[in-house]
Amino acid sequence: MFYKSSIEKIIEIYKRSNLSISKFASMIQKDRRTVTSWIDQISDVEPSLDVKESICKIFRYPDYIWEEGCNGEDFLKSITQIPQKEVRIIDEDYVGRLKYIMELEQNRRFVIQAQFPGPMYRDSAVRKVYRSQTSKEIEELKQARIEQMLRYDYDTTEWYSIKSILSFCFASIGNFYTKEEKIAILELIYELFNNNYNKKLFLFDSFSRKIYGMETTYISINVKQKILFFKSPIESVFIEIRNKKLVERMHKYYSSPVEAPSHVNFLESVKIIKILQDALKYNNTLVQTYEIINRQTDYGELFFNNLSVDLQKDVTPPKAGQKRS
């Protein structure tokens, strides 16, 4: 049997269950008559999503068994064999890791960045920050990556924590950039994201709720291929996840204005990038910059949350009617 229709698949699952029709029907919460009509192939009405989810939950089958492409031997393997591991360790050298990223993010990307700015923006605007051995192949790959990112039509959605962008602009410790380099990077990002709907920049407040890891590691979500990967604490290792539900849940979380962490929307984020760039040009302090953001945008509250307790006492409270997303 080709096992292409859902009813054919249910018949096979029923046969392998060694259950009576009554017991099988009871377990999936359907009446005996309906199950009998499926098994005797009298009815060709597509079983409901609830039935399919119940079967997968009860028999611990992957939900992709109902997909049209999962048929024949692939279907039988899916219900008889232990599923392949959904976690893979990518342990490559720098060239291998860069090729891996470029392959999965070839046409578009949806990323949560560990810190501001992303490495490609950094490397395209300033001198090398980290001293490391390089080669002609590495430099060519990095340049190809930069050119890909800088294309007007390259589809990218990027999330940065407000903490990371304020640290980039104002921190005195652990900051690799000169004033001129900071301004150059902000100028580059502003020019790329301003009035370009292929590119969306979100700034999220990592202090509004407990968010573990979202501001400490690079996470890339490819919802089309149902893959996400992130950098492990070991520099040379990526962790790849191929759990369909987890990938879709992560993507939905950061795509939904309701579910996502409190954030600045992508239109206002560009405006704030410009405010930060001007602040650096005119040597404004963090407090002065906050006051401008609070006055000129609806997101002062999110930036207020990122100030120290002492600084919060010295600034104007967030104005009424602040947005959280």
Side-chain angles (χ1 to χ4, degrees):
M1 188 177 290
F2 197 58
Y3 306 112
K4 188 169 185 179
S5 74
S6 296
I7 290 179
E8 289 176 345
K9 294 175 181 179
I10 288 176
I11 292 172
E12 184 63 29
I13 290 170
Y14 164 72
K15 289 178 180 178
R16 291 175 180 274
S17 72
N18 294 317
L19 297 171
S20 67
I21 291 180
S22 297
K23 181 63 174 178
F24 187 84
S26 174
M27 290 179 68
I28 65 173
Q29 297 184 342
K30 297 298 292 185
D31 60 87
R32 188 179 186 279
R33 183 180 300 177
T34 299
V35 175
T36 301
S37 70
W38 291 339
I39 294 172
D40 293 339
Q41 299 188 47
I42 298 172
S43 172
D44 59 358
V45 178
E46 180 72 10
S48 68
L49 181 61
D50 288 343
V51 168
K52 296 176 181 178
E53 289 180 346
S54 293
I55 289 174
C56 288
K57 183 177 181 180
I58 292 167
F59 297 102
R60 297 183 179 179
Y61 294 147
D63 56 6
Y64 58 74
I65 65 172
W66 308 110
E67 296 177 1
E68 187 176 347
C70 184
N71 50 55
E73 288 299 317
D74 289 338
F75 169 71
L76 289 178
K77 288 179 181 179
S78 298
I79 64 172
T80 58
Q81 297 182 9
I82 298 174
Q84 293 183 350
K85 290 183 179 180
E86 296 175 332
V87 177
R88 188 162 70 105
I89 296 175
I90 312 296
D91 190 359
E92 301 279 356
D93 58 13
Y94 186 89
V95 172
R97 297 197 306 274
L98 190 52
K99 286 181 177 178
Y100 175 80
I101 293 175
M102 292 180 69
E103 180 181 351
L104 283 186
E105 298 180 354
Q106 182 176 5
N107 299 314
R108 65 184 59 83
R109 70 177 196 158
F110 191 108
V111 299
I112 299 96
Q113 292 277 9
Q115 56 185 325
F116 184 93
M120 290 302 114
Y121 302 124
R122 177 197 67 208
D123 293 344
S124 63
V126 305
R127 57 170 172 68
K128 292 182 181 178
V129 172
Y130 299 102
R131 294 181 180 179
S132 59
Q133 292 183 344
T134 186
S135 67
K136 183 178 178 181
E137 183 180 13
I138 289 175
E139 292 305 315
E140 288 176 349
L141 282 171
K142 289 178 69 174
Q143 187 57 40
R145 177 66 169 152
I146 289 172
E147 291 173 0
Q148 178 189 57
M149 294 290 299
L150 298 186
R151 284 201 336 255
Y152 182 86
D153 61 346
Y154 183 73
D155 187 345
T156 181
T157 298
E158 303 178 30
W159 286 74
Y160 295 90
S161 70
I162 292 172
K163 174 186 175 182
S164 71
I165 194 168
L166 290 181
S167 294
F168 165 77
C169 292
F170 300 105
S172 299
I173 298 175
N175 203 323
F176 300 108
Y177 309 96
T178 65
K179 171 185 172 180
E180 291 72 23
E181 288 171 343
K182 294 175 187 177
I183 292 172
I185 290 173
L186 291 172
E187 175 68 22
L188 172 64
I189 291 176
Y190 178 79
E191 292 297 330
L192 278 174
F193 285 85
N194 188 39
N195 293 324
N196 185 349
Y197 284 87
N198 295 311
K199 303 181 187 298
K200 296 180 176 64
L201 176 70
F202 295 90
L203 307 177
F204 71 93
D205 175 20
S206 56
F207 290 94
S208 62
R209 66 175 84 165
K210 292 181 179 179
I211 301 174
Y212 297 107
M214 293 301 99
E215 61 172 0
T216 58
T217 188
Y218 180 94
I219 301 174
S220 179
I221 303 171
N222 188 321
V223 71
K224 188 173 183 180
Q225 296 186 37
K226 303 296 185 287
I227 299 173
L228 72 80
F229 70 90
F230 60 91
K231 292 183 178 179
S232 78
I234 304 174
E235 184 182 359
S236 63
V237 176
F238 287 165
I239 309 298
E240 179 186 88
I241 307 293
R242 288 179 175 265
N243 183 292
K244 177 182 175 182
K245 287 187 176 180
L246 177 60
V247 174
E248 291 178 341
R249 183 176 179 183
M250 282 283 291
H251 184 264
K252 181 182 178 182
Y253 180 74
Y254 279 93
S255 300
S256 167
V258 176
E259 294 189 25
S262 299
H263 62 277
V264 182
N265 74 40
F266 67 95
L267 296 174
E268 292 294 300
S269 291
V270 176
K271 181 178 179 179
I272 288 174
I273 290 291
K274 188 64 175 176
I275 292 174
L276 292 169
Q277 183 187 11
D278 289 341
L280 292 175
K281 284 182 180 179
Y282 300 115
N283 296 314
N284 291 342
T285 65
L286 174 56
V287 169
Q288 290 171 321
T289 305
Y290 160 76
E291 296 289 358
I292 294 172
I293 292 173
N294 189 37
R295 187 169 61 250
Q296 295 185 7
T297 78
D298 292 323
Y299 294 94
E301 179 186 351
L302 304 189
F303 283 80
F304 181 86
N305 293 341
N306 285 266
L307 300 180
S308 69
V309 175
D310 290 332
L311 281 182
Q312 287 178 351
K313 298 175 183 177
D314 297 333
V315 300
T316 305
K319 66 184 182 184
Q322 293 284 335
K323 295 180 181 179
R324 297 184 63 81
S325 64

